[in-house]
Amino acid sequence: MGRVKFTIVGGGMVAGYAAKQFVELGAKPGDLAILSGDAAIPYERPPLSKGFLLGLEDEASIRINPEDFYRQNGIEIRLKCTVRSVDTNKRRLVFQSGEELLFDNLVLATGSRARRLDIPGANLPNVLYLRSMSDSKRIRQTASGAKRAVVLGGGFIGMEVASALTQLDVETTIAMREERVCKNFFTPEMSRFFENYYANRGVRFVHGVKLVELQGSDCLTTAVFADGKTIACDLLVAGIGAQPSLDFLEGSGIKIDNGVVVDEHLETSTPGIFAAGDIANYPDVLFAKRRRVEHWDNAVSQGRHVARTLISGRTQFRHVPYVFSDVFDLSYELWGDPTGADRVVYRGDPATKNFSAWWTRANIVVSAFLMNRPDKEREWAPRMIESKRVVQVANLIDETAALAD
């Protein structure tokens, strides 16, 4: 049984970026161990539904750090390694194999697993999900022999996968319970723009439906919905959300409530144990609310923050939420949180692919969406959300007006 100064449970983006930060801050060889359930060293997740899925990027190009980075810096990394339990009293990890490891400081970063369908036919071949590199490979391989696909869910993952499948020459239908795509983030005008853009590229939409059965003998042939509608398909990708991977924490005494509950330093209820990424339920000090975020930027920022905290001392995690996406030939970014906004205005025309949307509450910018906009707007958006300064809303609408700090 060995002992490690800093141990990360989880081999995703938190681990990759934390490892880089640990090295930059002077961690010594042997100080850090990464315990990963994946078969690959830490890699970027966004390309899995974009360039990697399209075959434009390979495994080497999406790695966070080069393969020899861990060896050169004396970082132990164990792949296909499953932690069964955490003993917080003895500062001990127990692996599925029965092996044990002692830790001084622990970072929990096990990420999320795809929420799975629980309906007849859900186990048919070609019913797929996307969370890992192996998932993305399987979707790409299946798409090479598919003619028709259903993407279940109209959120970010569903939209990205549908874009990729269409570009892989698979006739694609997006089926969703909601009446429009990305309802939790987009305004009706924005949803309308994206649906029109997709439709012009051959994607079909079916709104307000509930999938109740998947049919096929040896392979998927038909998706059946509650209203009796059926869609012929030989591939279905379900993007219906994710669940934090927390089973190994049962009985640990670490507080769990919609993820691992952490304080403003990302420390759990047990001193010396931190959580970051998808599983961390953290206090957002900018928006005065708790949130758990399943996006790339959050994992990167929290991974770096935990490393700085453990090496350099405690600081408050203060960060403007951020999401980006690439679909077809479009790239867009979204900062902040539009929840509770009392007004939304646009710069540019939301019926085109060159506009920005600005959500305000009491004339304070709380969220911004930008697509094909000047760099000044991109730099200004997160800065103003963090500053909470009152703005002249008329200047947000007028593209000729300066966006003054």
Side-chain angles (χ1 to χ4, degrees), residues 375-387:
D375 286 343
K376 184 170 184 179
E377 285 189 28
R378 296 183 64 256
E379 296 163 1
W380 190 83
R383 194 164 65 240
M384 288 309 293
I385 293 169
E386 183 170 9
S387 73

Side-chain angles (χ1 to χ4, degrees), residues 29-334:
D31 277 356
L32 176 62
I34 297 173
L35 312 175
S36 174
D38 209 315
I41 62 174
Y43 52 86
E44 301 282 7
R45 303 293 167 134
L48 301 183
S49 57
K50 306 178 183 73
F52 187 82
L53 181 55
L54 285 166
L56 303 177
E57 298 180 81
D58 59 16
E59 292 186 34
S61 68
I62 69 171
R63 289 174 185 150
I64 296 169
N65 303 302
E67 191 168 10
D68 59 359
F69 167 86
Y70 304 93
R71 177 184 53 79
Q72 290 177 351
N73 291 286
I75 298 171
E76 180 182 5
I77 182 164
R78 302 190 191 185
L79 302 178
K80 299 181 181 179
C81 171
T82 303
V83 173
R84 186 174 68 201
S85 62
V86 179
D87 185 334
T88 55
N89 294 321
K90 296 182 179 180
R91 315 291 280 188
R92 177 180 64 180
L93 299 173
V94 180
F95 302 133
Q96 201 67 47
S97 64
E99 184 183 358
E100 298 180 355
L101 177 71
L102 299 176
F103 62 85
D104 292 329
N105 301 278
L106 183 65
V107 180
L108 306 173
T110 44
S112 302
R113 59 181 182 270
R115 192 178 300 278
R116 304 185 78 82
L117 294 166
D118 183 19
I119 58 173
N123 295 323
L124 282 168
N126 295 2
V127 178
L128 307 178
Y129 305 85
L130 178 57
R131 293 301 295 179
S132 67
M133 184 189 295
S134 59
D135 291 337
S136 186
K137 287 180 180 178
R138 188 178 175 196
I139 293 172
R140 190 200 312 162
Q141 291 165 357
T142 305
S144 67
K147 294 182 179 179
R148 295 168 296 192
V150 169
V151 173
L152 191 64
F156 290 119
I157 290 295
M159 294 284 283
E160 290 173 356
V161 170
S163 167
L165 289 175
T166 302
Q167 292 175 76
L168 292 171
D169 295 323
V170 180
E171 182 182 307
T172 303
T173 299
I174 296 179
M176 70 188 89
R177 292 195 179 195
E178 297 77 20
E179 68 273 16
R180 57 186 177 87
V181 298
C182 294
K183 182 179 179 180
N184 292 337
F185 295 93
F186 290 174
T187 64
E189 293 86 356
M190 292 164 64
S191 294
R192 188 178 308 117
F193 164 80
F194 279 98
E195 293 195 22
N196 288 338
Y197 203 84
Y198 273 59
N200 289 337
R201 283 148 187 81
V203 180
R204 295 177 55 221
F205 288 89
V206 180
H207 303 90
V209 293
K210 178 183 178 182
L211 183 68
V212 294
E213 184 181 0
L214 295 169
Q215 296 178 346
S217 52
D218 298 324
C219 198
L220 174 67
T221 59
T222 310
V224 181
F225 297 89
D227 62 358
K229 185 186 299 294
T230 62
I231 301 177
C233 58
D234 40 22
L235 166 62
L236 181 139
V237 181
I240 53 175
Q243 298 172 301
S245 298
L246 304 172
D247 296 348
F248 72 106
L249 294 177
E250 185 176 350
S252 67
I254 295 172
K255 186 176 180 181
I256 306 293
D257 183 9
N258 182 31
V260 179
V261 177
V262 297
D263 63 15
E264 67 272 22
H265 309 295
L266 305 184
E267 191 170 29
T268 71
S269 56
T270 300
I273 299 181
F274 296 77
D278 290 9
I279 68 171
N281 179 338
Y282 72 95
D284 184 333
V285 297
L286 293 177
F287 287 88
K289 64 190 285 188
R290 281 198 164 271
R291 68 171 78 243
R292 187 175 63 80
V293 179
E294 298 171 355
H295 291 295
W296 173 86
D297 180 65
N298 184 66
V300 172
S301 300
Q302 291 190 345
R304 289 172 172 164
H305 183 88
V306 167
R308 290 194 299 269
T309 296
L310 289 169
I311 295 287
S312 305
R314 295 170 186 272
T315 56
Q316 187 182 66
F317 180 70
R318 182 182 178 89
H319 184 68
V320 178
Y322 170 78
V323 179
F324 77 92
S325 185
D326 300 317
V327 292
F328 292 109
D329 59 343
L330 302 176
S331 294
Y332 65 82
E333 299 168 283
L334 178 66

